[in-house]
Amino acid sequence: MTHIRHGHRRPALELTRSRKHFIYAILITTWLSGAVWLVLHYFFARRGEFGAEPNPFEFWILALHGACAFATLWLAGWIWTTHIEPWWRGGRRRRNSGVVLISVALILIVSGYLLYYASGDALREWTALVHWIVGLIAAIPMIVHALRSALYRRPS
């Protein structure tokens, strides 16, 4: 929902239910595809003629995760304009789970970028470890943020 004041559109602070469902669908698919890739990569490698080989589904799950990552980046810009910036400007609820989510998102964006472009085994190994640990834990602040948002809107 947007409010019109003096001919300018101003984003509403609250996201509609359908927009939240859209956001959650992308974030859940991103999280699940990353978690499934980890399981496939570390627990379901195949034994090939020359040793361990990647699971045949790893490529497709990683491709889905990459597509979701692009969608999440687009989503982050949309959420910034319609949700984060208005709350931040208003000075209300700045030090809440949203700040944690922004920090987690920045770590995942930078580490994801480095996984794609970094060279050198040591840097890639360290970056991968940071990316998958933060990525797995990211579900916790997202759930907390969603629950706090639901509780905040409830009438007393």
Side-chain angles (χ1 to χ4, degrees):
M1 170 188 257
T2 56
H3 301 284
I4 298 184
R5 173 181 261 176
H6 304 294
H8 297 287
R9 293 175 65 111
R10 183 173 56 89
L13 297 178
E14 299 294 331
L15 296 170
T16 64
R17 178 177 288 177
S18 62
R19 287 181 179 176
K20 284 183 183 181
H21 289 159
F22 177 69
I23 292 165
Y24 294 149
I26 291 174
L27 294 177
I28 289 168
T29 305
T30 305
W31 189 89
L32 281 175
S33 61
V36 168
W37 180 87
L38 281 170
V39 170
L40 289 175
H41 184 74
Y42 288 104
F43 299 107
F44 290 97
R46 297 182 338 179
R47 291 282 172 215
E49 188 177 336
F50 302 105
E53 293 179 354
N55 185 290
F57 294 108
E58 274 189 54
F59 171 80
W60 297 107
I61 292 296
L62 196 57
L64 174 62
H65 189 67
C68 288
F70 280 112
T72 302
L73 285 172
W74 170 81
L75 190 63
W78 179 51
I79 291 172
W80 187 270
T81 317
T82 60
H83 182 66
I84 298 168
E85 186 184 5
W87 278 108
W88 194 266
R89 247 184 306 134
R92 296 170 50 200
R93 295 177 15 171
R94 276 191 197 167
R95 290 184 301 245
N96 69 4
S97 55
V99 173
V100 173
L101 284 174
I102 292 168
S103 302
V104 165
L106 288 173
I107 292 168
L108 290 173
I109 290 166
V110 170
S111 61
Y113 178 84
L114 287 174
L115 281 172
Y116 198 77
Y117 289 108
S119 60
D121 291 340
L123 177 59
R124 284 190 55 77
E125 286 176 21
W126 182 86
T127 302
L129 186 65
V130 168
H131 190 77
W132 71 255
I133 289 172
V134 173
L136 287 173
I137 293 171
I140 297 168
M142 185 66 235
I143 292 168
V144 168
H145 187 76
L147 291 174
R148 286 183 73 182
S149 175
L151 292 173
Y152 180 76
R153 280 192 318 283
R154 278 197 183 149
S156 4

